[in-house]
Amino acid sequence: MIRTPVPPAEIAPVAAALLGRVEELGVRMARRIRAEVDFYGDDGRVPFERLSSSCTRNAALVFGQLVDGGSDMTSAHDTGREHARQGAPLSELLNAYRVGSGFLWSELTAEARATAGVTADTIVALAAWWVNEGLAAAASDAYREAASELSRRRERERSALVEALFTGVLTDRTTLWDAADALGLSSEGPYAVVVAAVTVPGKEALPGIEPRLLAEQVRSAWRLLPDLQVGVVGLRGRGGEDALLRVLGRSPGPRVGISPPYLALRDTPRALRLARLALGTAARGGGAAIARFDESPLALLVAASPEEAGRIARAVLGPVLELPSEEGERLLETLEHWYAAGGSTTAAAGLLYCHRNTVRYRLRRLEELTGRSLRDPRAVADLAVALHALRLLPPERP
């Protein structure tokens, strides 16, 4: 067991003499700190009266301990907590303690040398006690504890504000501006909602995403749900959307859905719905890890009424969905590439790396199953809506 040194008894009268001058010493110590520590350089952050009062309390604490052997760290704890609440840097607090401690030590040793009966061995023993007493450590511990609690509280408040944006609770323009300010977002768009699939409840899908985006000058606010990590991202500024994609691209593993850009924060609930739909496409086997919602008329139609879109998909593609999974997927993939190729079987064959006759066979098979001809514009439109619904709706087959 390590024993903390105790102050030598010969020092008590010296400390008592200094304790009688504690008001004067507190003011002088405050002046020394103000001269040597930038953070305390003027009244802007810490008024001199408050600084000198704190210095007086700490001087009285030190000399009082040397007189009666007490170990009350309340003053140091209070100072640490107060600085944390004010947002003062811990390094500046510790620097002030270093300067103040040096000042008190010089006063104490000068007084001790002038006092009969105080030897060099006494000064050495006093130095051991001084080092181990740990006023700065006490203030530092209290600072970290208070800062940690403040951080947790602010995170809870931010999380509640993000939740309010996603649920549409905030609708008043002024309230939305206040929320944007509290979250560090611009009061004007464009914004985007990003959702990432959580594989383990309680564990972020995109660890450290907020500071990584901030390093790219992109501000954001996030909330962790049991199955998703969701965020509002400010895209204002040149290259905001590119920066978002760049950062997300450096996060391999999670499936991510991104809404189209939108201008008003009140539209965040709708953007969340579109981002979820985009995530559904990323969740499909073989799909992209990052999926952006396609702001096309068909995509908007599906997003506006997912239940109706699902009903259309079942009505139009029902016989295809009843096929064995591999066969059905092959026909749907061929149809999708046929649309991507502008209706050209040759171009679709190139995309699928197969012969154009294979594409023709699959398309005829699909026409037979659905009862719709790809030469009929109305049938082509029906199939396009149904296929889009399948692509955008969640992974479960409608």
Side-chain angles (χ1 to χ4, degrees), residues 192 194 206-222 231-235 240-251:
V194 177
L206 300 167
I209 184 64
E210 189 167 344
R212 286 193 287 131
L213 284 172
L214 193 57
E216 298 279 349
Q217 308 300 314
V218 175
R219 295 186 176 274
S220 60
W222 297 80
V232 181
V233 181
L235 301 180
E241 193 168 2
D242 291 339
L244 169 62
L245 293 172
R246 188 163 57 249
V247 172
L248 290 175
R250 294 197 293 262
S251 303

Side-chain angles (χ1 to χ4, degrees), residues 193-317:
V193 169
V194 177
V195 298
V198 169
T199 55
V200 179
K203 185 175 181 180
E204 291 186 339
L206 300 167
I209 184 64
E210 189 167 344
R212 286 193 287 131
L213 284 172
L214 193 57
E216 298 279 349
Q217 308 300 314
V218 175
R219 295 186 176 274
S220 60
W222 297 80
R223 176 164 169 72
L224 184 61
L225 303 175
D227 59 336
L228 292 175
Q229 184 177 1
V230 295
V232 181
V233 181
L235 301 180
R236 194 174 190 189
R238 189 173 183 179
E241 193 168 2
D242 291 339
L244 169 62
L245 293 172
R246 188 163 57 249
V247 172
L248 290 175
R250 294 197 293 262
S251 303
R255 299 186 306 273
V256 177
I258 307 175
S259 75
Y262 62 102
L263 295 177
L265 274 177
R266 66 169 55 88
D267 293 331
T268 300
R270 173 181 177 272
L272 173 61
R273 185 155 51 92
L274 300 183
R276 283 177 176 269
L277 289 172
L279 180 65
T281 70
R284 298 284 290 272
I290 300 174
R292 302 168 68 185
F293 189 89
D294 180 11
E295 188 77 286
S296 70
L298 279 181
L300 289 174
L301 175 64
V302 171
S305 183
E307 290 185 5
E308 283 302 305
R311 186 188 65 78
I312 292 171
R314 285 190 296 271
V316 175
L317 295 173

Side-chain angles (χ1 to χ4, degrees), residues 43-59:
D43 281 356
R45 294 189 179 96
V46 181
F48 184 79
E49 182 181 353
R50 193 167 72 195
L51 177 60
S52 61
S53 175
S54 176
C55 288
T56 300
R57 287 196 307 272
N58 283 318

